[in-house]
């Protein structure tokens, strides 16, 4: 089946974060593979990378999604998820190593369903060092704890009251949901939703600390998904509730009403950003001209953690922290 992919430029929550952090990073993620020669090859490989700090959260998300999928199929919750999480973590590492090997040998990059872990790609992990083993164990322990917390919430009992078709958790690894928002294609890769004909609750699993800022940011993200539900599920905003679930902070689930002023502001930001990117694309038919339209950030802290180490910005960061190096 052909994949349903929108035309560029499209927006996503992840891409929005890149755009705010560094416009060049957003360019490299979306267009870098089209650059000629080595620059295109490196950007193609690096766009698949993910941060180690995101690994345990991703693993927990995978585990909860798997548990809900199993429940949808069988109407029974899996009795233990630890073994599944261990296997999934091993797959992440194996995929990361295979991908890295192909990159180093200049071979075609293998398709990997999951993200590639940066420490493997950049050679910091991969030799089974004590440091690597400790880091892997911590990731696995954190993910196991987060999934165990999911089972301590009221959600498993609540989901048991729902028909399987109301449990929306199937887009991972398949088609990612997106909608045309008045001419702007916007992805909405929500973690989980309970969807009925006349209302919906959209959930986002968080494994970090709960602070007012983080909750506000989670609600911003969930409003992106609420706008998707308005468009794709034809629901009024008043019928949608949003639930950021900070698993490690509380087992309580708080549901928030959609703020329609916030939705409107987000839609306006999408329109402005899309029009801006589109105009830059329209006046630059060559890729290097387009890249010049997306400047590197001046904030070296962004470069320090950036996945695009082939970018001159990363070299600039290295030179700043170690002026003696060649
Ligand atoms: S290395 Fe720095 S300048 Fe280059 S894409 Fe990353 S954040 Fe932007």
């Amino acid at each position: 089946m052909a994949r349903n992919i929108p035309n560029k430029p499209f927006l996503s929550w992840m891409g929005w974060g890149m755009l705010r952090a560094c416009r060049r990073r957003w360019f490299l993620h979306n267009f870098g593979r089209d650059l000629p020669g080595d620059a295109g090859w490196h950007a193609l490989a690096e766009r698949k990378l993910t941060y180690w700090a995101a690994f345990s959260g991703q693993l927990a998300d995978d585990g909860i999604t798997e548990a809900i999928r199993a429940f949808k199929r069988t109407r029974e919750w899996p009795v233990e998820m630890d073994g599944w999480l261990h296997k999934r973590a091993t797959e992440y590492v194996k995929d990361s190593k295979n991908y890295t090997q192909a990159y180093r040998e200049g071979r075609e990059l293998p398709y990997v369903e999951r993200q590639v872990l940066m420490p493997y790609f950049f050679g910091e992990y991969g030799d089974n060092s004590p440091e690597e083993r400790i880091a892997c164990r911590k990731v696995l322990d954190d993910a196991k704890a987060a999934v165990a917390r999911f089972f301590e919430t009221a959600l498993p009992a609540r989901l048991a009251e729902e028909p399987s078709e109301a449990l929306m958790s199937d887009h991972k690894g398949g088609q990612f949901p997106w909608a045309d928002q008045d001419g702007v294609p916007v992805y909405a890769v929500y973690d989980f939703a309970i969807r009925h004909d006349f209302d919906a609750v959209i959930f986002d699993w968080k494994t970090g600390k709960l602070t007012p800022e983080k909750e506000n940011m989670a609600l911003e993200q969930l409003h992106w998904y609420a706008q998707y539900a308005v468009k794709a599920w034809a629901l009024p905003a008043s019928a949608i509730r949003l639930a950021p679930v900070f698993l490690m902070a509380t087992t309580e689930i708080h549901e928030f009403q959609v703020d329609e002023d916030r939705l409107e502001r987000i839609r306006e930001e999408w329109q402005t950003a899309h029009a801006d990117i589109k105009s830059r694309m329209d006046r630059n038919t060559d890729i290097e001209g387009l890249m010049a339209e997306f400047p590197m950030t001046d904030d070296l802290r962004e470069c320090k953690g950036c996945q695009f180490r082939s970018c001159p910005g990363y070299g600039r960061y290295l030179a700043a922290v170690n002026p003696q190096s060649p």
Side-chain angles (χ1 to χ4, degrees), residues 76-93:
E76 285 183 16
W77 290 103
V79 281
E80 73 93 29
M81 289 297 298
D82 286 4
W84 188 92
L85 288 165
H86 192 279
K87 185 162 167 284
R88 173 56 66 110
T90 308
E91 288 167 1
Y92 269 102
V93 170

Side-chain angles (χ1 to χ4, degrees), residues 21-26 28 295-317:
C22 172
R23 297 176 75 79
R24 178 63 55 85
R25 191 188 296 176
W26 185 89
L28 289 171
M296 297 193 297
T297 180
D298 292 327
D299 185 349
L300 296 187
R301 288 169 304 178
E302 288 295 342
C303 301
K304 179 183 179 188
C306 184
Q307 72 205 79
F308 292 104
R309 291 193 187 174
S310 61
C311 169
Y314 188 75
R316 188 187 50 177
Y317 155 73

